[in-house]
């Protein structure tokens, strides 16, 4: 009759772990603020650096595309496209870094929750 009560210890353990999540997430976010990812545009004239939570830390534009040193000045549209490409690529790298960190946190906390991998894949735009 009381055979099923053996799982109460597992439930109590899971509840304890779930109560740790807000603190662990705060620590993870602080760590991710210190991490850096970077990406360049396809033309390699623009580089964007972001932290692990997707905040832009710097944008570097190669001086030669602005006409410095006799380089050819590009159009505003070309420069905008390069900045957009580099920003999108850095954003994708930041999402992937963050998803990996969350996955590792869940693993470290032994939170075997069905669907977490699929959720992280959908959030990062991965293919699974």
């Amino acid at each position: 009759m009381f055979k099923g009560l053996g799982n109460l210890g597992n439930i109590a353990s899971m509840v304890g772990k779930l109560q740790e999540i807000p603190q662990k997430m705060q620590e993870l976010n602080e760590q991710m603020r210190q991490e850096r990812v970077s990406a360049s545009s396809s033309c390699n004239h623009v580089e964007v650096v972001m932290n692990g939570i997707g905040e832009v830390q710097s944008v570097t534009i190669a001086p030669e595309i602005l006409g410095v040193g006799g380089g050819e000045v590009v159009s505003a549209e070309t420069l905008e496209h390069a900045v957009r490409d580099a920003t999108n690529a850095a954003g994708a790298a930041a999402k992937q870094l963050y998803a990996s960190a969350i996955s590792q946190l869940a693993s470290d906390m032994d939170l075997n929750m069905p669907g977490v991998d699929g959720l992280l894949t959908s959030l990062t735009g991965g293919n699974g």
Side-chain angles (χ1 to χ4, degrees):
M1 176 173 171
F2 296 108
K3 221 177 203 182
L5 294 179
N7 288 330
L8 285 179
N10 291 342
I11 293 171
S13 174
M14 181 65 98
V15 168
K17 289 176 186 178
L18 291 175
Q19 290 174 340
E20 294 177 29
I21 289 177
Q23 176 64 31
K24 296 285 187 184
M25 287 301 297
Q26 184 176 357
E27 292 169 6
L28 178 77
N29 284 335
E30 288 305 314
Q31 177 187 347
M32 289 293 102
R33 279 188 173 85
Q34 303 307 313
E35 297 288 334
R36 297 292 182 265
V37 295
S38 65
S40 296
S41 61
S42 57
C43 64
N44 290 319
H45 291 302
V46 175
E47 179 187 42
V48 173
V49 176
M50 289 186 176
N51 64 15
I53 60 172
E55 296 171 335
V56 174
Q57 301 299 298
S58 67
V59 176
T60 304
I61 299 172
E64 61 268 15
I65 67 169
L66 301 174
V68 175
E72 180 182 342
V73 178
V74 300
S75 68
E77 181 180 1
T78 300
L79 181 57
E80 289 165 358
H81 182 76
V83 169
R84 184 180 61 240
D85 281 354
T87 303
N88 287 340
K95 283 181 183 179
Q96 186 58 49
L97 178 68
Y98 196 80
S100 294
I102 288 177
S103 181
Q104 184 62 52
L105 176 65
S107 176
D108 291 348
M109 293 181 71
D110 197 26
L111 297 175
N112 299 320
M113 293 185 281
V116 170
D117 290 336
L119 175 64
L120 292 176
T121 298
S122 69
L123 290 175
T124 60
N127 295 327

